[in-house]
Amino acid sequence: MSLSNFILEHTDAILEEWMEFASTLAPAKYKFDRTMLLDHARHMLEAIAADLATPESAYEQAQKSRGLGLGPQTLHARTTAASQHGMARMQSGFSLVAAVSEYRALRASVTRQWERVPENQPMPPAGVIDLIRFNEAIDQALSESVTSYYFEKEQKNRVFDAILSSTPDLSFTFDLDGKFTYANKAFLELVGRPLHELLEKNYQDLDFPNAAEKDRLVQLVIHSMQHVRGEMRYTLPSGQEDLYEYIFVPVIGDDGHVEAVAGTSRNITDRKAEELRNWRRANFDPLTGLPNRCLFSDRLDQEVRHACRSGAPIALLFIDLDKFKDANDRYGHDAGDLLLHHAAARMRSCVRETDTVARLGGDEFTILLQDLGGNGHVESVARKILRQMEKPFHIKRHDIDIRASIGIALAPADAETPDALMALADHAMYASKAAGGNRFSFFSRAAPDGQESAHI
């Protein structure tokens, strides 16, 4: 019996034996498709049998011996069963070694079963020729499959690179030594280097900013098998400093071990700047640049809590501008806005950087003083503010005179909650106004009217 006829008559038995081995090569994550696997192998065997049944010339024999087959297996590598097998194996996650091993098993299965046929012992000359041609056909199929496997892999890599290169995000990969194995177009353009200068080098080899820390993070991902994310700054050749958020993630192989590290990074400079602008809009008064009521309330809450825990007193000054409404009505709202702006600047000049000056709204301001060292410091600040407010404000060719009324309350002596402290300071401020303004008043439970006031 010729080998061609033997293959066609015993295809099922050959494939059954081969299947036992081939099924052990599938990646653990791959859902094994028995039908697809058998279809590829069956079609290859049928093509090989047809090739064996076709006479060939001496030239064709010479060509096949060099791997340049001219039979049915010489169809375009993308259209044969062997090429389809190679593509399917690449797409399914098989390694190239595993894909090649399937051909070795197929060769062994056919050879063993054919040699068991009694009429082939001893093997006749025609049988030897068939066996040679069979091995050449297997080699041809193997070549087509490997070619297709690599074509599919390269195409996948090209698609992968095209996707990553179409995004402004930086993408890159490292091997287990922390050396670059890939970087996309955005990364290469940022660092101003071609890919070949990055490959097989780590951050320190390339003199990157904070290189030691970046290399340490890559190794941390490898050894912890956990992702790492954070932010880092990168200085451009122009001197501009941009902020990037990054994430390094482990690439876990089928064996459960880290086989590489993948990273991506995004420029968040503009986003951070916008977040800061939004935060300032939400927490600062646009007219004076001072903290607004929202931010001041948060700081007051924190400082009152700290004062109650530690016993270290704080002072709250509640300030209302005298004669502001008259000036605003007389000179106009634009002049009134400038008046508030300049008044805020004068108040800031009277306190330390650690103290907080805020605008609650209208012509109402507050000042939070810490580290008092006695009431003498509070009085000194209050007197400075009154003196500053007495000076004329030169606005739009006008000299505008205003004054200030100040109310002062202490925590924890007078109150132990922010709301209570604000209420007492407000009450003391109205006492200053009632006394004629241009003065400060301490809240005091001992005084008949609850106040102790003083001029400058």
Side-chain angles (χ1 to χ4, degrees):
M1 177 185 294
S2 68
L3 182 53
S4 174
N5 290 335
F6 176 82
I7 290 174
L8 294 176
E9 291 182 12
H10 297 83
T11 297
D12 290 339
I14 293 169
L15 292 179
E16 190 62 34
E17 179 180 330
W18 174 73
M19 177 69 76
E20 292 182 11
F21 172 77
S23 62
T24 66
L25 301 175
K29 63 184 177 182
Y30 173 56
K31 185 178 180 182
F32 194 69
D33 189 336
R34 181 184 178 92
T35 302
M36 181 189 73
L37 184 65
L38 284 174
D39 282 349
H40 291 157
R42 184 181 300 277
H43 292 155
M44 280 190 284
L45 287 177
E46 291 173 352
I48 290 171
D51 185 37
L52 293 175
T54 303
E56 60 182 13
S57 65
Y59 174 75
E60 290 171 336
Q61 290 175 3
Q63 287 292 91
K64 283 189 176 181
S65 68
R66 296 199 299 267
L68 303 173
L70 298 174
Q73 290 300 106
T74 61
L75 295 173
H76 191 278
R78 299 281 290 177
T79 64
T80 65
S83 65
Q84 291 172 352
H85 184 79
M87 282 189 290
R89 286 300 179 262
M90 173 59 209
Q91 293 168 354
S92 300
F94 279 68
S95 69
L96 182 60
V97 172
V100 169
S101 294
E102 290 183 299
Y103 285 91
R104 293 188 182 130
L106 187 61
R107 187 198 308 267
S109 177
V110 171
T111 303
R112 277 196 302 269
Q113 293 198 36
W114 193 52
E115 288 177 344
R116 293 184 193 134
V117 178
E119 64 185 75
N120 291 333
Q121 300 300 329
M123 187 174 295
V128 174
I129 294 174
D130 277 352
L131 190 57
I132 292 172
R133 291 186 63 186
F134 169 75
N135 282 308
E136 289 175 344
I138 284 288
D139 290 340
Q140 179 69 27
L142 177 58
S143 176
E144 291 176 359
S145 187
V146 169
T147 299
S148 179
Y149 183 100
Y150 269 114
F151 181 89
E152 189 71 14
K153 184 175 182 179
E154 288 301 311
Q155 183 183 53
K156 186 175 181 180
N157 288 341
R158 286 193 297 271
V159 171
F160 171 77
D161 185 63
I163 292 172
L164 293 182
S165 293
S166 67
T167 173
D169 293 346
L170 314 181
S171 297
F172 39 89
T173 58
F174 306 92
D175 61 20
L176 296 183
D177 293 324
K179 309 287 188 179
F180 282 97
T181 56
Y182 170 81
N184 72 343
K185 181 180 178 181
F187 188 98
L188 298 176
E189 289 179 346
L190 176 71
V191 301
R193 296 172 183 263
L195 181 59
H196 71 267
E197 288 188 10
L198 266 68
L199 297 181
E200 299 184 2
K201 294 182 177 66
N202 60 21
Y203 281 113
Q204 293 189 77
D205 294 334
L206 298 166
D207 295 325
F208 271 69
N210 301 317
E213 174 62 13
K214 293 181 177 69
D215 286 334
R216 185 190 69 81
L217 291 175
V218 174
Q219 291 303 317
L220 177 62
V221 172
I222 292 171
H223 293 102
S224 69
M225 299 181 67
Q226 301 293 322
H227 72 265
V228 171
R229 64 172 68 241
E231 296 179 359
M232 57 187 175
R233 296 191 175 276
Y234 184 82
T235 303
L236 301 174
S238 64
Q240 175 183 329
E241 187 178 68
D242 284 349
L243 181 64
Y244 286 81
E245 63 179 4
Y246 65 84
I247 181 170
F248 294 158
V249 298
V251 179
I252 310 298
D254 292 332
D255 59 0
H257 294 94
V258 177
E259 60 184 22
V261 173
T264 185
S265 185
R266 173 171 295 177
N267 190 326
I268 59 171
T269 307
D270 292 341
R271 190 186 82 192
K272 282 290 186 179
E274 181 62 24
E275 288 176 357
L276 179 59
R277 286 191 291 269
N278 290 337
W279 181 81
R280 289 196 63 85
R281 280 194 288 265
N283 291 280
F284 285 83
D285 173 46
L287 181 61
T288 63
L290 297 177
N292 62 15
R293 182 184 293 271
C294 178
L295 180 57
F296 180 76
S297 295
D298 287 342
R299 291 185 182 178
L300 180 62
D301 181 68
Q302 294 175 18
E303 294 303 327
V304 170
R305 289 174 184 272
H306 180 264
C308 292
R309 285 195 305 268
S310 65
I314 61 171
L316 174 63
L317 282 64
F318 201 111
I319 304 168
D320 187 88
L321 300 182
D322 303 331
K323 304 181 186 179
F324 173 76
K325 185 177 183 304
D326 293 339
N328 193 59
D329 291 342
R330 182 177 179 181
Y331 299 107
H333 293 299
D334 289 344
D337 288 346
L338 287 172
L339 184 57
L340 290 172
H341 178 80
H342 292 307
R346 291 188 185 184
M347 291 182 204
R348 274 196 302 247
S349 71
C350 297
V351 300
R352 301 161 298 188
E353 289 187 5
T354 55
D355 300 322
T356 300
V357 182
R359 181 189 177 208
L360 300 186
D363 61 344
E364 292 184 337
F365 296 83
T366 54
I367 296 178
L368 190 58
L369 301 178
Q370 306 162 269
D371 304 321
L372 301 184
N375 287 351
H377 175 66
V378 182
E379 291 185 14
S380 175
V381 171
R383 293 182 191 279
K384 286 180 182 178
I385 293 171
L386 294 178
R387 282 194 294 269
Q388 286 292 326
M389 293 302 110
E390 278 192 331
K391 297 177 182 179
F393 288 86
H394 304 288
I395 297 174
K396 292 190 172 184
R397 293 185 237 176
H398 298 288
D399 287 338
I400 302 177
D401 290 318
I402 61 172
R403 300 289 187 272
S405 295
I406 304 174
I408 305 169
L410 306 176
D414 298 330
E416 296 184 351
T417 66
D419 289 344
L421 190 65
M422 283 284 288
L424 296 182
D426 182 55
H427 187 63
M429 183 273 294
Y430 276 106
S432 293
K433 273 196 175 295
N438 192 29
R439 68 184 62 225
F440 63 88
S441 299
F442 279 90
F443 175 81
S444 175
R445 300 182 190 281
D449 61 352
Q451 311 303 326
E452 292 179 350
S453 65
H455 292 281
I456 61 170

